[in-house]
Amino acid sequence: HAVGSQVGEVLLYYCYCEVRDPEKLCAWQKALCQHLHLTGKVRVASEGINGTVGGSKVATNLYIKVMLSQPLFKNILCQEDFKSSSGGAHCFPDLRVGVFKEIVPMGIDPKIVSYKETGIHLSPQEFHREVEQYLSQATQGQSDTILLDCRNFYESKIGHFQGCLAPDIRKFSYFPSYIDENLELFKDKRVLMYCTGGIRCERGSAYLRSKAVCREVYQLKGGIHKYLEEFPDGFYRGKLFVFDDRYAICSNEDIISACRYCGVLWDQYKLCSSQHCRQLVLTCPSCCNKGLTACCPVCQEKELKVTSRASGQTLKEECECTRRRSRVPVEHVSPRMLDTGK
């Protein structure tokens, strides 16, 4: 790789629309990405398309042009819908384009809970004003609003909006059960939801609305990505987790999480060093140097056993981190008690 080839960008986008022939769209999309030497992941379904792709600036610009001229997305997808950050093809190991049931895996049939029943979209400016108001009311202990992070715990751990409720869930497919288990919490509340690029809120807000307990459901249009473009020093503190080899992108200097082992401020993820585990771990350079590179003691021990046994096969298994975490947490806080400070 010449250095020049590394300077490109990563695009994140989605489009909900009716796709009559997902297989055909999938083949076209694959050919397009290969032609432009883009890597990344694209999910196609009868409900639309969701992609995150990386390549040279020339390639990503062409990609946007072609996507906007594709008849399927005409008048639905627009330039604004593409979120970009610096990166390139090297941010992904390969290109994966496939047909799925949902373009974001919530685990609920799109026919049952549709993106058409979504919450009210707020622009970054509107959302910013709402959060500002929420924080000032919450400090006086009189808020009727919940600021809800729809992402997974390892995402919100390294960056989130001040005063948010961040569910301790490992996958978005646990989100519906989380809502079910905590319905009381949302009763008669105004809910402000947000996620990385907006897509999880589209179905998540529809699911929450289908329960008919909230007063209103709002969501951040374009997600944290678009918010940070306008308010790099706003109410979102810390890094933004991304699902590629970068793990996080930075907009302010705040570090809000700590090393798992020594507690020093640290927010750069590494994969657990144990071959059978896919967990992410926060371990600072000095703990890494001491050989503390796994997500938990069980993994650390297994790793030593496996290395001494040197068996070729690797099995994916759950370690104690995952087993000890209740799959769907029940909140015992009144939202009033949420930490609204920095």
Side-chain angles (χ1 to χ4, degrees):
H1 260 334
V3 173
S5 70
Q6 297 276 317
V7 187
E9 64 182 355
V10 170
L11 296 178
L12 177 70
Y13 73 93
Y14 66 88
C15 180
Y16 276 104
C17 58
E18 279 171 47
V19 179
R20 292 233 167 83
D21 191 344
E23 296 292 342
K24 190 177 167 189
L25 179 62
C26 179
W28 171 79
Q29 184 60 217
K30 199 172 192 166
L32 172 62
C33 291
Q34 284 168 342
H35 181 70
L36 294 172
H37 303 290
L38 297 174
T39 56
K41 293 170 278 198
V42 182
R43 290 175 73 98
V44 176
S46 58
E47 61 170 1
I49 187 168
N50 172 18
T52 165
V53 294
S56 72
K57 202 87 172 160
V58 171
T60 52
N61 282 339
L62 266 168
Y63 182 79
I64 294 175
K65 264 208 181 80
V66 176
M67 290 297 284
L68 294 176
S69 63
Q70 156 67 262
L72 262 180
F73 313 132
K74 260 244 162 27
N75 309 324
I76 310 174
L77 198 58
C78 63
Q79 185 84 36
E80 303 285 70
D81 294 323
F82 291 88
K83 298 109 201 168
S84 67
S85 51
S86 59
H90 62 281
C91 295
F92 303 90
D94 52 17
L95 171 69
R96 288 179 200 174
V97 186
V99 174
F100 296 84
K101 198 165 179 168
E102 307 168 276
I103 58 172
V104 67
M106 189 166 81
I108 291 197
D109 193 316
K111 289 185 194 74
I112 297 170
V113 173
S114 163
Y115 65 89
K116 294 170 185 165
E117 306 298 322
T118 180
I120 299 162
H121 293 74
L122 299 179
S123 69
Q125 296 90 335
E126 293 169 321
F127 196 83
H128 186 76
R129 279 202 299 274
E130 281 286 345
V131 173
E132 191 165 34
Q133 204 178 347
Y134 158 70
L135 289 173
S136 70
Q137 286 172 348
T139 37
Q140 292 144 31
Q142 50 182 8
S143 184
D144 59 347
T145 301
I146 290 180
L147 178 55
L148 179 63
D149 193 319
C150 297
R151 300 171 304 155
N152 306 325
F153 76 89
Y154 53 85
E155 299 173 79
S156 54
K157 196 181 197 166
I158 60 165
H160 54 244
F161 274 96
Q162 287 165 243
C164 73
L165 172 62
D168 192 13
I169 54 175
R170 202 167 54 92
K171 294 177 174 171
F172 185 56
S173 55
Y174 299 168
F175 182 77
S177 322
Y178 175 81
I179 296 294
D180 296 351
E181 294 290 323
N182 294 286
L183 264 187
E184 268 305 299
L185 193 66
F186 297 103
K187 230 181 147 125
D188 301 323
K189 290 281 192 283
R190 299 170 73 247
V191 179
L192 298 171
M193 305 173 87
Y194 68 88
C195 61
T196 309
I199 186 168
R200 282 180 275 187
C201 287
E202 300 282 13
R203 295 282 309 288
S205 67
Y207 187 81
L208 185 53
R209 288 191 63 209
S210 75
K211 297 289 154 185
V213 295
C214 300
R215 219 171 71 207
E216 285 153 333
V217 180
Y218 297 97
Q219 66 201 72
L220 172 57
K221 188 175 177 352
I224 302 161
H225 230 296
K226 286 288 183 193
Y227 178 86
L228 288 178
E229 282 176 20
E230 302 195 35
F231 301 100
D233 260 315
F235 298 117
Y236 184 90
R237 308 313 302 175
K239 309 262 190 306
L240 172 58
F241 185 95
V242 287
F243 289 91
D244 58 59
D245 294 349
R246 298 170 300 171
Y247 290 135
I249 47 188
C250 179
S251 80
N252 53 56
E253 295 307 307
D254 284 13
I255 298 179
I256 66 161
S257 51
C259 169
R260 185 213 186 297
Y261 291 99
C262 72
V264 68
L265 284 176
W266 188 250
D267 63 5
Q268 290 173 39
Y269 278 120
K270 277 190 165 57
L271 274 177
C272 172
S273 53
S274 178
Q275 285 294 280
H276 65 275
C277 179
R278 303 315 290 148
Q279 297 268 4
L280 290 166
V281 58
L282 290 171
T283 169
C284 73
S286 86
C287 288
C288 271
N289 291 340
K290 292 178 192 149
L292 299 168
T293 51
C295 67
C296 63
V298 170
C299 275
Q300 200 83 48
E301 266 164 57
K302 268 210 175 108
E303 187 189 0
L304 297 172
K305 279 191 202 128
V306 172
T307 12
S308 58
R309 206 173 52 226
S311 73
Q313 65 169 149
T314 61
L315 294 166
K316 208 166 155 184
E317 29 178 303
E318 288 203 341
C319 63
E320 69 175 25
C321 303
T322 301
R323 273 203 303 270
R324 280 212 317 257
R325 163 170 279 102
S326 67
R327 200 175 140 148
V328 177
V330 177
E331 303 294 352
H332 297 296
V333 290
S334 75
R336 223 169 263 149
M337 289 154 52
L338 295 175
D339 170 32
T340 51
K342 283 205 177 180

